[in-house]
Amino acid sequence: MMADTALMAWPVALPLMGAVLALLVGRAGVRLVAGVASVATLIASSLVAWEVSTQGVLRQQLGGWGAPLGIEWRADGLAALMLLTIAVVGPLISVHALDHLGDREDREFLPLWLFIWCALNALVLSADAFNLYVTLELTTLGAVSLIVVRRDLPGLDAGLRYLLFAMPGSLCYLLGIALLYGAYATLDVGMLAQRVQAGPVTWVAAGLVTVGLCLKTPLFPLHIWLPPTYTGAPTPVTALLSALISKGSFYVLLRLWLEVFAPVLDAEVGQMLGLLGAVAVLWGSVLALSQTQLKRVVSYSSVAQIGYMFLVFPMATSGARAGVIYLVVSHAAAKASMFVAVGNIHQAVGITSMGGVQGLAYRMPFTFLAMALGGISLIGIPPSGGFIAKWLLLNESIGTQQWWWALVLLGGSLLTAAYVFRILRGSFLPLPPGVTVRSIPLGNELAPLALALIALVLGLVPWFPLDLLAVGASR
């Protein structure tokens, strides 16, 4: 049963209005406008989540026209949880960006982030395959603008690389949904789930959509753009890319696969995606362990963490879906905390090599506590959101008699522990002579700690997110 409501418009409209106003006001007003818009959007997203948890699935017909003539927004438990994740993680990253970027970049970063926030919220609420494409492209264009916000050579190279890989992914996705529309005369996700049938057109469309979204997410071996892009972008932008923006394409893939394509595709296709995810977990972790630059360690770690998310496709159960979404949410907070912590280290000592962290645990205790707590969640040590997510996936791998995915989960956790402990061990070594540690604002140290604590709290109170995820979930 779905309830009609206009409440869903506010999480989209408020950041959009904030972005426009932030562009119009002067230097002194941009932070105030962004702050008010962030608080208002957080409240609106919380209200949507509350309505979903109490009333069930919500829907809204845009312009008063429902599917198939019009476009509908739909908010189930998954959409509500994603709205909350974006509303909490994004502003905390922005707090770090305020002192990490210069005045000019600051005035450009905040409106762009609000615009991306608007697009991400519209994406998670969309129930139309073409509307998903439009909102996904808006996040891509906004991300490119953020990557090049400093207008330096590394940023321009990273932005161009991101754009050149994202565009073919967009084209593949667009061709796939064009085939679906030609075959079934609708792009509404609910109607497609009812009409889609096994056949060459559906298989080709599913292949194009999957390849396009895997290129954007990105999944091994389509991940080659990720490490240099994450390394070249400003650290707050990298945190947004890893924690939130890359989740948009995976969210679309998850929606279409589990709600539309799974019933008409062979189980071997899901196994193939799981195999690529497993390779990503192991390969990304090994490369992270071999890096000498701190930011590249965390970047290759993202390749591995993305791999875990694709283990949902071979299992294809409601428990695996809940585990992967829990992993997405906890990863957003944990990985954002680690990237922000790396940015703090660069501000303090001017370098981000592995040797540059020596002795900093005593000088920057909040930053390294955040890195430790974020690392705990990535490893999957209790109590943390990462532990709950991996425990759910572990149970499903055994319950579906696919024990080999359990080995991937355990092996990946051990490799993650190796590179996280390598960073933390170096931070407790004596401070090298001649190294000057500059003080950084307290807000910059508290932002990653708050993000890491969110990842920790997700492991202590899992019942609310899991109960919310159950609203509207297919059984």
Side-chain angles (χ1 to χ4, degrees), residues 192-239:
L192 278 175
Q194 297 173 0
R195 298 182 184 181
V196 72
Q197 298 177 356
V201 173
T202 301
W203 298 332
V204 173
L208 287 169
V209 167
T210 301
V211 170
L213 294 174
C214 286
L215 187 56
K216 281 176 167 289
T217 300
L219 174 66
F220 176 94
L222 305 176
H223 70 287
I224 55 175
W225 62 264
L226 186 149
T229 299
Y230 281 17
T231 304
T235 303
V237 178
T238 304

Side-chain angles (χ1 to χ4, degrees), residues 64 67 80 166 190-191 265 317 326 354 368 391 401 411 425 441 453 459:
M191 291 185 175
L265 294 179
T317 63
Y326 217 89
M354 292 296 291
F368 279 90
W391 181 257
Q401 298 183 350
R425 175 185 175 276
L453 288 174

Side-chain angles (χ1 to χ4, degrees), residues 39-104:
V39 172
T41 308
L42 174 60
I43 293 172
S45 299
S46 301
L47 289 175
V48 170
W50 175 256
E51 285 293 309
V52 170
S53 66
T54 56
Q55 303 296 325
V57 179
L58 307 178
R59 67 183 178 91
Q60 181 177 356
Q61 298 177 348
L62 301 184
W65 292 88
L69 295 178
I71 294 175
E72 285 189 350
W73 280 348
R74 180 177 181 271
D76 58 2
L78 171 56
L81 187 59
M82 292 300 294
L83 286 177
L84 286 177
T85 302
I86 298 166
V88 173
V89 173
L92 287 173
I93 297 174
S94 299
V95 169
H96 167 70
L98 298 181
D99 291 298
H100 189 83
L101 301 173
D103 287 340
R104 180 190 60 78

Side-chain angles (χ1 to χ4, degrees), residues 115-147:
F115 174 77
I116 292 173
W117 193 353
C118 163
L120 284 172
N121 285 352
L123 183 146
V124 301
L125 294 174
S126 295
D128 178 272
F130 184 74
N131 206 33
L132 287 170
Y133 164 76
V134 172
T135 52
L136 190 60
E137 290 316 289
L138 290 176
T139 62
T140 297
L141 295 176
V144 172
S145 301
L146 276 184
I147 293 171

